Amino acid sequence: MRIQLNGESYELPDGETVAALLTRLELTGRRVAVELNQDIVPRSQHTETALTEGDQVEVVHAIGGG
């Protein structure tokens, strides 16, 4: 299936989850925020949130500061 990842077309196997995508991108364990079709996906839901054809995904690195 094809999704939009940070504005670019990206090919994934059918049924891929947000957690699997982060593993594929080597971002597991890093502080990132994931937006799926303009909604934030809580970290607790990454393993159960499946991606589908045409989804728009934004992955943003969280940066601390003050």
Side-chain angles (χ1 to χ4, degrees):
M1 78 177 152
R2 191 165 292 282
I3 64 168
Q4 289 291 311
L5 176 62
N6 293 343
E8 301 287 327
S9 183
Y10 194 84
E11 187 76 28
L12 289 173
D14 289 342
E16 192 94 323
T17 64
V18 169
L21 173 62
L22 293 178
T23 298
R24 183 181 297 276
L25 297 173
E26 298 180 359
L27 295 174
T28 302
R30 299 211 182 160
R31 293 178 50 126
V32 296
V34 179
E35 183 181 280
L36 174 59
N37 299 323
Q38 301 182 343
D39 290 320
I40 296 293
V41 179
R43 183 180 304 269
S44 63
Q45 294 179 11
H46 285 183
T47 57
E48 60 197 48
T49 302
L51 300 169
T52 59
E53 180 77 28
D55 277 347
Q56 294 183 357
V57 180
E58 296 289 328
V59 178
V60 180
H61 294 270
I63 299 175

